[in-house]
Amino acid sequence: MEMNSANGFWLMPSHNRPAKLKKIFFDMKATGVSTAGYVLINETDWANNLKFYEMIRPQLPQHWHYRILGKKANDMGPKIREFTERVLSPYKDRGVEWVGLLCDDHTPITPKWDLMTLESLNGANMVSGNDKWQFYRKEGSGGRMVPP
């Protein structure tokens, strides 16, 4: 089953780490990321760091956006739940084929890693990047590993 890169997006929860975002935005652009995504930030963090988030906004990869969530969305799980309830659920019948998860401290190094990840999806599996230090320690992963 081939996944259409235009029919999905990445979620990247972040909290109070504009410097980490600046670095991953740079790395994503350097590796030619072409898929869309959302940086999930809660409204308190946004208000407290607005100057920094706006300063790095021009560095967002193409088709990437900030999504400001409620105050209770202060960790990865609550951010993903709120995004799913408020944004993703209304689109469930609109052809969203995939949703990926990134962290703001990832370091993409492989050109076109995003498309390689999608190519490894078959509709019934989960695909993860090779974080190197853990990759060879784990046995029996449920999906194919691709370089980040």
Side-chain angles (χ1 to χ4, degrees), residues 13 15 42 72-80:
H15 184 78
N42 82 6
K72 292 183 180 178
N74 57 357
D75 292 317
M76 183 180 285
K79 284 183 170 95
I80 293 168

Side-chain angles (χ1 to χ4, degrees), residues 13-14 34 41 45 55-57 71 80 89-90 95 101 115 125 131:
S14 188
S34 61
I41 301 170
D45 179 19
M55 193 175 355
I56 62 173
R57 183 186 293 271
K71 291 178 183 177
I80 293 168
S89 292
L101 179 63
L115 298 178
N125 67 338
D131 65 6

Side-chain angles (χ1 to χ4, degrees), residues 27-143:
D27 293 338
M28 290 167 70
K29 285 181 171 182
T31 57
V33 70
S34 61
T35 48
Y38 293 94
V39 180
L40 308 180
I41 301 170
N42 82 6
E43 62 188 44
T44 303
D45 179 19
W46 181 258
N48 291 341
N49 294 295
L50 180 60
K51 178 174 92 175
F52 301 108
Y53 288 126
E54 289 298 339
M55 193 175 355
I56 62 173
R57 183 186 293 271
Q59 297 170 29
L60 278 163
Q62 186 175 15
H63 309 299
W64 276 73
H65 310 278
Y66 290 128
R67 182 66 187 203
I68 312 310
L69 304 170
K71 291 178 183 177
K72 292 183 180 178
N74 57 357
D75 292 317
M76 183 180 285
K79 284 183 170 95
I80 293 168
R81 275 189 295 282
E82 183 174 329
F83 183 89
T84 300
E85 292 166 5
R86 288 180 43 196
V87 180
L88 187 56
S89 292
Y91 289 97
K92 67 181 177 184
D93 297 325
R94 296 188 187 177
V96 174
E97 296 179 349
W98 63 273
V99 176
L101 179 63
L102 296 172
C103 294
D104 60 10
D105 59 357
H106 285 167
T107 304
I109 58 173
T110 302
K112 310 257 184 241
W113 60 268
D114 57 331
L115 298 178
M116 289 175 64
T117 302
L118 294 181
E119 289 169 5
S120 298
L121 290 172
N122 65 20
N125 67 338
M126 179 180 150
V127 180
S128 177
N130 174 359
D131 65 6
K132 294 187 180 180
W133 73 274
Q134 294 257 350
F135 179 70
Y136 296 104
R137 294 174 35 168
K138 296 183 180 180
E139 295 182 27
S141 65

